[in-house]
RNA sequence: GUCCCCAUCGUCUAGAGGCCUAGGACACCAGCCUUUCACGUUGGUAACACGGGUUCGAAUCCCGUUGGGGACGCCA
């Protein structure tokens, strides 16, 4: 059934630290992590920081944070690619000595002109190999050369991909790529190949935007005389508009999802289902995913990112989450919101209300919103719908019901409910006629956890006070 | 433009020639439950892009068309 590797696989996630860890990268990391964990292998992290201009410390920190938040732990030390530049250059030199690479003295301007002209003439924009067989003696003075791979011009290069199948590229389509820049630093193409080889990476699982690169990289492996790793190119995640989700195009960093109140386990489940499936299963725990994951079930078509489904999954995991964990998160968020730390009676109320609250929220943000009334100081500001509910006769009923509440013993949800039912029976009201205004008075809203339970949690003094606030406002002279 | 990839409900997907009058999930609509909302539950709307083959038989295989996406940097 599931194709298992001959030996424990070694996978890697190799982001470039030029921004945050975006959602597509997160999924790539997840798949690599899952594959390694599934087959008892190793999952490594390599920071591809060879672009010194654009790599930043901040971006590196964000990648670490993002992976940690997602719970994707890596094995061994993080490899920083730039630190290995000398080794990359050595590989290029070796190729040069074998006659499989050459110096090219074209200036960047010359190359741009070459590409522009090709495009203008409807030809593919590629380097024409003008220095491939030219005598280095003809080199113009004062120009530092780049080193290019002398790639085969005949035949084809085939990528045997675990997801995409066998993909063939005519070698005529692949030009002589640059290995070493004129300043002697290695390019991405050279670095990945050398590093993946040196790190003994067995499976390269990455976005399929790298598929064409793979053909070139295979040429490099061949030139270096190394065996290629196994490749698996997973389809990209697209935005709602169907275009590639990238840093430049609407992709959010994982920390944005964290801040929007999504749980890491929900993210993992959602990302897993984008491009991978296991029959009709939808809710898949990470443990289950580790047991089931395989590259043969990865689809080949791109998927669009859909917040509605993420919300649904997050709601599920929220309901599943331990109350203490949610209390801690929501407590912090409430404190940020109100500027007052959640302690004492507020903390007790929040903890008591959590089971009822979490059943109704899709995100931690919503959960925080819905918990706000618990820690808000009187008098509460009622929203429009709530205000309408306590207008007129309802306030009178509340005032009357308050009398019963004031002497109710013991103070419990069941007791309050019994009192409410007795009250409505005696006054020929429907339970909702009392419960809804009560909800409005106690929570300032028309939506909340079960109101009798909520009343118990709030405590008698607070409940009576909140009722008084509403009743007083209703009967204040200026309000008629 | 050239090369490469993709194509099942709005979205994520199941489907590896007959089990498909195409299944599930999200979203949406209606009902039930109910003190509100949510959960849960019942039912509903909704898809094999198109055209040719191959075959007794095609969502599944082949070709083409169309549509979408990706790659074409001294970025990664």
């Amino acid at each position: 059934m599931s194709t298992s590797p001959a030996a424990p696989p070694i996978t890697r996630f190799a982001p470039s630290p030029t921004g945050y860890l975006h959602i597509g990268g997160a999924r790539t990391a997840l798949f690599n992590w899952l594959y390694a964990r599934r087959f008892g292998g190793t999952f490594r992290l390599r920071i591809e920081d060879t672009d010194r201009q654009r790599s930043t410390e901040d971006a590196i920190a964000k990648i670490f944070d993002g992976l940690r938040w997602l719970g994707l732990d890596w094995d061994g030390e993080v490899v920083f690619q730039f630190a290995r530049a000398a080794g990359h250059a050595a590989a290029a030199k070796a190729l040069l000595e074998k006659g499989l690479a050459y110096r090219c003295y074209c200036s960047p301007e010359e190359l741009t002109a070459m590409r522009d002209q090709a495009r203008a003439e409807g030809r593919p924009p590629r380097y024409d190999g003008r220095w491939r067989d030219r005598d280095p003696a003809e080199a113009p003075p004062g120009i530092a050369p780049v080193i290019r791979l002398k790639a085969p011009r005949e035949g084809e290069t085939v990528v045997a991909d675990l997801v995409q199948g066998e993909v063939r590229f005519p070698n005529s389509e692949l030009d002589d790529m640059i290995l070493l820049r004129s300043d002697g630093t290695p390019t991405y193409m050279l670095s990945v190949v050398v590093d993946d080889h040196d790190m003994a990476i067995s499976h390269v699982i990455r976005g399929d935007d790298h598929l064409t690169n793979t053909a070139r990289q295979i040429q490099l492996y061949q030139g270096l005389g190394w065996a290629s790793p196994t490749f698996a190119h997973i389809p990209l995640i697209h935005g709602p508009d169907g275009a590639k989700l990238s840093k430049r195009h609407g992709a959010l960093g994982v920390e944005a999802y964290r801040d929007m109140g999504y749980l890491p386990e929900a993210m993992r489940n959602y990302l897993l289902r984008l491009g991978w499936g296991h029959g009709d299963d939808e809710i898949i725990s990470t443990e289950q995913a580790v047991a089931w994951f395989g590259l043969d079930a990865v689809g080949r078509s791109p998927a669009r990112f859909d917040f509605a489904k993420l919300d649904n999954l997050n709601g599920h995991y929220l309901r599943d989450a331990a109350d203490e964990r949610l209390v801690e998160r929501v407590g912090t968020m409430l404190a940020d919101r109100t500027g007052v730390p959640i302690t004492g009676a507020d903390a007790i109320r929040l903890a008591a209300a959590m089971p009822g609250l979490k059943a109704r929220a899709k995100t931690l943000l919503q959960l925080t919103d819905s918990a706000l009334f618990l820690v808000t100081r009187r008098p509460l500001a009622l929203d429009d719908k709530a205000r309408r509910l306590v207008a007129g006769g309802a306030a009178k009923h509340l005032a009357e019901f308050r009398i019963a509440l004031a002497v109710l013993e013991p103070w419990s949800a069941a007791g309050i409910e019994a009192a409410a039912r007795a009250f409505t029976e005696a006054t020929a009201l429907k339970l909702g006629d009392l419960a809804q205004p009560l909800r409005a008075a106690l929570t300032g809203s028309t939506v909340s956890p079960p109101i009798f339970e909520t009343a118990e949690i709030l405590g008698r003094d607070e409940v009576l006070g909140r009722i008084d606030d509403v009743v007083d406002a209703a009967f204040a002279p200026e309000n008629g």
Side-chain angles (χ1 to χ4, degrees):
Chain A
M1 288 274 300
S2 143
T3 316
S4 29
I10 303 175
T11 64
R12 55 35 165 211
F13 176 53
S16 63
T18 56
Y20 39 64
L21 171 59
H22 66 87
I23 205 68
R27 188 186 58 152
T28 301
L30 174 68
F31 280 25
N32 276 285
W33 181 86
L34 243 19
Y35 194 73
R37 295 291 172 262
R38 165 71 176 83
F39 295 108
T42 306
F43 170 63
R44 306 213 51 191
L45 177 60
R46 183 171 75 226
I47 301 294
E48 310 225 317
D49 54 353
T50 52
D51 184 341
R52 304 313 288 169
Q53 255 71 49
R54 295 198 291 165
S55 299
T56 68
E57 284 299 317
D58 181 55
I60 293 171
K62 280 189 169 135
I63 288 165
F64 291 166
D65 288 349
L67 288 175
R68 275 195 276 258
W69 177 70
L70 274 174
L72 305 182
D73 53 319
W74 57 88
D75 301 313
E77 294 298 306
V78 175
V79 171
F80 289 89
Q81 193 160 60
F82 183 68
R84 303 179 30 83
H88 304 155
K93 294 277 155 49
L95 251 12
L96 208 50
E97 278 156 26
K98 285 203 269 181
L100 292 172
Y102 62 95
R103 293 189 173 81
C104 165
Y105 293 85
C106 286
S107 66
E109 296 73 32
E110 197 178 346
L111 292 171
T112 309
M114 195 188 298
R115 275 190 288 269
D116 288 349
Q117 196 188 339
R119 248 188 270 268
E121 292 170 11
R123 287 181 292 113
R126 280 196 282 267
Y127 173 65
D128 61 10
R130 59 183 61 174
W131 283 94
R132 190 178 163 101
D133 297 307
R134 201 153 152 194
D135 186 347
E138 292 175 41
I143 290 207
V146 299
I147 293 179
R148 288 183 184 268
L149 178 74
K150 192 176 270 186
R153 297 189 136 174
E154 309 290 318
E156 59 182 14
T157 297
V158 352
V159 181
D161 195 279
L162 253 28
V163 172
Q164 305 291 337
E166 202 171 74
V167 184
R168 298 167 173 279
F169 295 88
N171 286 336
S172 57
E173 291 297 322
L174 277 12
D175 62 4
D176 292 344
M177 66 182 142
I178 295 179
L179 268 19
L180 241 39
R181 302 186 182 99
S182 50
D183 64 0
T185 59
T187 60
Y188 160 79
M189 287 291 181
L190 211 216
S191 307
V192 230
V193 168
V194 174
D195 287 349
D196 282 340
H197 171 263
D198 289 357
M199 291 166 76
I201 302 301
S202 66
H203 290 72
V204 172
I205 304 168
R206 68 211 333 181
D208 72 8
D209 50 341
H210 281 285
L211 193 55
T212 355
N213 288 337
T214 306
R216 312 178 109 95
Q217 288 167 19
I218 285 176
Q219 294 182 333
L220 243 184
Y221 278 105
Q222 289 167 348
L224 260 2
W226 297 338
S228 315
T230 299
F231 293 100
H233 287 91
I234 61 182
L236 300 174
I237 298 176
H238 286 177
D241 64 347
K244 175 186 179 181
L245 212 46
S246 70
K247 284 175 207 168
R248 307 136 193 123
H249 182 83
L252 268 20
V254 290
E255 74 276 7
Y257 293 89
R258 180 196 62 209
D259 295 345
M260 285 187 277
Y262 294 103
L263 261 17
E265 60 267 42
M267 273 329 268
R268 269 182 256 132
N269 194 153
Y270 179 70
L271 255 17
L272 175 68
R273 288 286 292 108
L274 244 36
W276 182 87
H278 186 269
D280 284 341
D281 296 303
E282 296 288 346
I283 305 286
I284 303 168
S285 70
T286 301
E287 294 66 39
Q288 196 57 259
V290 168
W292 283 340
F293 190 76
L295 260 11
D296 41 4
V298 175
R300 285 196 277 176
S301 49
R304 298 189 189 204
F305 195 91
D306 178 26
F307 273 103
K309 188 133 183 180
L310 210 212
D311 279 354
N312 175 272
L313 270 175
N314 204 57
H316 170 86
Y317 284 100
L318 223 40
R319 271 171 255 133
D320 239 33
D323 292 338
E324 307 76 61
R325 175 182 170 204
L326 298 177
V327 166
E328 195 184 321
R329 284 298 306 270
V330 172
T332 314
M333 291 164 85
L334 279 174
D336 287 348
R337 189 88 67 90
T338 60
V340 183
I342 304 304
T343 56
D346 287 335
I348 292 166
R349 282 178 192 165
L350 180 60
M354 192 50 77
L357 253 19
K358 74 178 183 184
R360 293 168 169 71
K362 300 264 189 244
T363 68
L364 288 170
L365 239 38
Q366 286 177 15
L367 189 50
T368 303
D369 284 341
S370 68
L372 194 58
F373 80 90
L374 289 169
V375 301
T376 302
R377 299 290 164 258
R378 291 175 43 209
L380 259 55
L382 307 205
D383 68 26
D384 289 346
K385 283 185 192 164
R387 207 172 309 122
R388 262 176 263 136
L389 266 177
V390 296
K396 200 170 130 263
H397 295 138
L398 282 178
E400 288 163 9
F401 183 50
R402 183 201 190 283
I403 298 169
L405 287 182
V407 297
L408 181 69
E409 283 303 338
W411 182 259
S412 70
I416 299 165
E417 176 167 356
R421 288 189 187 276
F423 180 86
T424 50
E425 263 168 52
T427 51
L429 287 170
K430 282 187 285 186
L431 187 58
D433 294 335
L434 177 66
Q436 274 305 87
L438 183 61
R439 186 186 316 278
L442 300 188
T443 71
S445 152
T446 52
V447 175
S448 83
I451 195 58
F452 304 121
E453 191 180 299
T454 302
E456 178 189 325
I457 291 166
L458 245 17
R460 191 197 312 264
D461 290 349
E462 187 67 23
V463 166
L464 297 183
R466 290 189 184 193
I467 291 175
D468 288 342
D469 292 339
V470 164
V471 170
D472 290 352
F475 293 118
E478 62 267 30
N479 289 337

